[in-house]
Amino acid sequence: MSDPDTPRSAQAQIAEAIRAKRERRSSQSIQAELEAMETALLADINSFDLDAVARRVRAEEEQFRATGLIAGTGLEFPDILAGGATRVEAPDSAPARQAEAVSAPVLQLDPGGGLLEQLRNQAEICLNHQNAEQQHQSLLESRLDHALRQVFAYLHELVQQLNVIKPPIARNYLVAGSQELQGLVWQQGFADYRSRPQSAGAAMESVSFSYRLAGQKELVMERDGTVAEKFGQALFDLNLDVKVEEFRNERRYLERARFTVLPEIKVNVRWEADLNSGTLRVLARNLERLGSMRYSIAPEAVNRALLDEFGRMVLGQPHQFPRLLSRC
C-alpha cells in the first residue's frame, strides 16, 4: 500500500520550483529596468543645456507680454532709462490714477532749487500766515475785551447808584395789545461778567446786566377757554408773573380763564463778544418793550457817550442809542 503523503510532497516541490523560477525572472526584470532608467538619466544630465533653457524662458515671457497676460496681473517692473532714471508703466485703473494725482504735487520739483529749500520756503510762508492770523485774532480779542471792560465798569457803577436812588422809570409796557403796566419803579439791579480762564488770556467774553421794576396796579384780563391756554403760555414767555383762575362747567370743560398780571417787569441785557463778526452783540429782553431785541456794536464805538445813551434808554429817558448804533 503506498504512502498518501508522497504525491503531495512531490507536488509541493514542483510548486516551489516554479515560484522560485518566477521570482528570479521578476527580480532580473526589475534590475534591468532600473539600469535602463539610470542610463537614460545620466544621458539627460550630460546633454542638458542651461543657456538653451534660459533663451526659451525669455522667449515665452516676451510672448506673454505681447499678448497682455503680464499686464493683467497688475505687476509692473521699472525700465532703466538713460541717466539712471526709472519709468514705471502704471496699470490703467482708478486707484492708480488717484494715487498719481495725490502724489503729483510732491514730485513736481523746481529744477532751480533743492527739495529742502523749497519746503523751507513753504514752511516759512505757512508760519507767516499763521502768525498773521494769530496777531489779527489777538488784536480783535483785545479790542473786544477792552470794550467789554468799559461796559462792565459803567454798568456796575450804574446799578450801584440806581439801587440807592430807586428812580421811577418813565416807560409803560403794553401787555396783550390792550393794557399797560404803568408807574414802574427801579427795585434792584445787578451787573456781572464772564471771562476766559487765566491760561487762555483771561479776556472778557460777556457782561450781564439785569434789573427788576415794580408798580402798584395789577392787570386783569379774561380769555375764552379755547384760547386761554395759549394766552397763558404767551404771558409766561414774556417772563411775567401771572395768577390764573379757571372757570369750568359741570363737565369740567374750561369755559374761560382770568389772568392777573402782577405789576413787575424783569429786564435782562447781555453784552457778548462775537469773534466771528468782530462785534459786540447786545441781547436784550423786556428792555424798551416786552419781548426780545438784538443790537450789534463795533468795539471801537463803545465809549462814555454811547454808554450814557444806553443808560438813558434804561431809565426811559429820551436817548440816541439806536442812532449811534447805525453809525457802527
Side-chain angles (χ1 to χ4, degrees):
M1 188 172 180
S2 62
D3 188 357
D5 294 334
T6 301
R8 286 198 297 272
S9 299
Q11 293 177 358
Q13 292 177 0
I14 295 172
E16 290 178 359
I18 295 173
R19 185 169 56 255
K21 185 176 181 180
R22 290 178 177 176
E23 289 178 356
R24 284 195 299 270
R25 290 179 178 176
S26 178
S27 61
Q28 292 175 358
S29 176
I30 293 174
Q31 183 64 28
E33 292 178 359
L34 292 176
E35 292 177 355
M37 292 175 61
E38 182 179 1
T39 303
L41 180 59
L42 291 174
D44 290 340
I45 292 174
N46 293 330
S47 62
F48 180 76
D49 189 353
L50 181 60
D51 295 335
V53 173
R55 290 194 296 270
R56 185 170 64 252
V57 171
R58 286 196 296 269
E60 292 178 355
E61 289 181 352
E62 292 178 358
Q63 181 179 1
F64 291 154
R65 187 185 300 274
T67 57
L69 295 178
I70 294 181
T73 62
L75 300 177
E76 293 294 334
F77 299 92
D79 296 333
I80 305 300
L81 302 179
T86 59
R87 178 184 61 210
V88 178
E89 297 294 337
D92 187 13
S93 59
R97 291 194 299 271
Q98 185 176 5
E100 181 181 357
V102 172
S103 59
V106 178
L107 297 179
Q108 290 179 356
L109 303 178
D110 184 5
L115 175 62
L116 292 179
E117 183 180 356
Q118 296 179 53
L119 295 178
R120 189 183 302 111
N121 294 335
Q122 293 180 7
E124 184 177 357
I125 294 174
C126 292
L127 289 176
N128 292 336
H129 180 69
Q130 293 174 3
N131 292 334
E133 288 185 348
Q134 292 177 358
Q135 291 178 0
H136 175 73
Q137 189 76 3
S138 298
L139 179 61
L140 180 58
E141 291 179 358
S142 177
R143 291 175 179 173
L144 293 173
D145 175 73
H146 179 68
L148 287 176
R149 291 183 184 276
Q150 292 185 72
V151 172
F152 174 73
Y154 185 91
L155 296 179
H156 180 67
E157 184 176 356
L158 178 66
V159 296
Q160 285 184 331
Q161 296 175 4
L162 294 180
N163 287 342
V164 176
I165 300 173
K166 298 186 185 301
I169 304 301
R171 177 180 294 113
N172 298 333
Y173 287 86
L174 184 64
V175 180
S178 58
Q179 301 186 50
E180 291 183 338
L181 287 173
Q182 302 175 353
L184 299 174
V185 177
W186 181 280
Q187 298 297 310
Q188 190 73 20
F190 182 74
D192 196 6
Y193 69 90
R194 179 179 178 181
S195 61
R196 294 184 178 182
Q198 191 69 30
S199 58
M204 276 195 181
E205 292 182 326
S206 63
V207 174
S208 59
F209 172 61
S210 60
Y211 58 92
R212 184 172 60 88
L213 308 176
Q216 299 294 328
K217 185 179 179 181
E218 299 177 343
L219 300 182
V220 180
M221 52 195 72
E222 293 186 0
R223 290 296 184 272
D224 185 78
T226 57
V227 297
E229 183 177 356
K230 184 179 296 186
F231 182 75
Q233 183 63 41
L235 295 178
F236 177 79
D237 293 339
L238 294 174
N239 202 21
L240 296 174
D241 290 333
V242 183
K243 296 180 180 179
V244 183
E245 295 180 76
E246 295 182 346
F247 300 91
R248 300 179 180 272
N249 58 20
E250 297 177 354
R251 298 181 179 180
R252 305 299 301 168
Y253 176 77
L254 181 62
E255 293 183 341
R256 59 189 176 88
R258 178 180 296 143
F259 300 90
T260 302
V261 181
L262 302 183
E264 183 174 297
I265 297 294
K266 300 172 184 176
V267 182
N268 297 282
V269 183
R270 183 180 177 89
W271 300 63
E272 295 181 344
D274 187 358
L275 294 176
N276 294 328
S277 62
T279 61
L280 292 178
R281 292 183 303 176
V282 182
L283 309 177
R285 188 178 189 187
N286 297 345
L287 180 56
E288 286 193 286
R289 56 177 175 79
L290 292 178
S292 298
M293 294 173 289
R294 180 174 179 175
Y295 307 94
S296 180
I297 306 174
E300 296 81 4
V302 177
N303 51 34
R304 186 58 179 266
L306 177 72
L307 295 174
D308 281 343
E309 294 301 318
F310 178 78
R312 293 187 179 94
M313 182 173 63
V314 169
L315 295 173
Q317 299 177 359
H319 62 89
Q320 301 294 327
F321 188 71
R323 185 177 65 84
L324 294 178
L325 295 184
S326 64
R327 296 179 181 177
C328 302

